[in-house]
Amino acid sequence: MERSNHTSPGATMQFLLLGFSDLLGLRALLFCCFLAVHLATLAGNLLILLAVAAEAPRPPMLLFLGQLSAIECCYTLVIAPRALADLASMGTSTISLVGCATQMHCFVALGGAECFLLVAMSYDRYVAICWPLRYTAVMSQAVCLRLALLCCLGGFAVSLGLTVAVFQLPFCGSHRINHFFCDIPALLHLACTRRYSSELPLLAACVLLLLLPFLLILASYACITGAVLRIRGSSGRSKAFSTCASHLAVTSLHYGCATFMYVRPKSNYSPGRDKMVALIYTNITPLLYPLIYSLRNKEVKGAVRKLLKKRLAQPAGIPSSRGLHSSGAAGPGGRNARTAVC
């Protein structure tokens, strides 16, 4: 590819997504696998969303888990439908400059919001274990909602700056993206510049979205570990650690994949390897998150059981949840007892 033949980004520019054009014989199998994983991911995360919405009052961890499930639903909807359509079309796939920039912006914004949300969840675990008597006062509903909003705004702001910086670069004449979506390394590989300045926006985004949140999570768990070690009795320690196990598993998956993909120089770009890793963090990890929290978190399991029992019991003539709530609130201390729980 001739580096001198380049164009500046324009409104009419189009990119060619190569996707899995080198695996024509496996397109039917890939389509079926993608579709099954996509539907399972949406079903699992929507189930948690419905369970959290039906739970009243909502503990802070359930509120954060609901936001995490909403992010994962949007995350997979940004990438999976177009990838499925490209596999079904059996032809070349073009995407406009605006469409590519929009996809990349949404993808990075949702991933960044998830990075910040994992920090908020680690802070929730820190307060619950290190300051249990002040937990309901510190982690109030208003504080949780503000943290959730800040996570979304932070991801949106960093993603906007990164998207603008990437699409100001000059691109080579072929405009062929060897990927199934507009990922950052694939776009930087098309940039007609060998200067390290083209990688500075990605480096800054990695510091803001990966390094700083990861250091905050490490600091939270350092304090948690110190508090747990001061607990007398092995049963108390194991119970405290079990409340953090699901969050640690999700954090390891998220930061492990993101670090492998984006914390590296442009010269180490490998299209085939990147596509395989992208298949994991765009399809498998969003499916694993609800499974991890459903199996390890008692609050999530309890909320899901209540939702399923309510849906199965209503056709049999059992009173609806509205009637149960109203009767419970009328009893002595019913409403006050419900609202006293964070």
Side-chain angles (χ1 to χ4, degrees), residues 274-286:
D274 281 18
K275 280 192 288 188
M276 292 300 106
V277 177
L279 285 177
I280 296 175
Y281 75 78
T282 59
N283 293 276
I284 305 302
T285 54

Side-chain angles (χ1 to χ4, degrees), residues 35 70 100 113 128 159 179 204 211 221 228 243 265 278 283 292 318:
L35 182 61
C100 190
S159 175
H179 216 300
L211 181 60
Y221 275 102
V228 170
T243 61
N283 293 276
I292 292 172
I318 296 179

Side-chain angles (χ1 to χ4, degrees), residues 294-328:
S294 298
L295 294 175
R296 297 291 306 177
N297 194 287
K298 293 182 179 180
E299 293 175 336
V300 176
K301 289 191 287 188
V304 171
R305 287 196 194 101
K306 289 180 183 178
L307 177 66
L308 295 177
K309 287 180 180 179
K310 186 185 300 183
R311 298 299 179 187
L312 294 175
Q314 281 184 1
I318 296 179
S320 64
S321 59
R322 180 180 296 181
L324 292 175
H325 288 170
S326 61
S327 61

Side-chain angles (χ1 to χ4, degrees), residues 38 41-49 66-81 110 114 286:
H38 179 55
T41 300
L42 289 179
N45 285 288
L46 286 175
L47 180 62
I48 291 183
L49 269 176
Q67 185 183 7
L68 180 64
S69 295
I71 289 175
E72 294 303 327
C73 285
C74 297
Y75 190 82
T76 188
L77 287 173
V78 168
I79 298 171
L110 292 168
E114 186 171 338

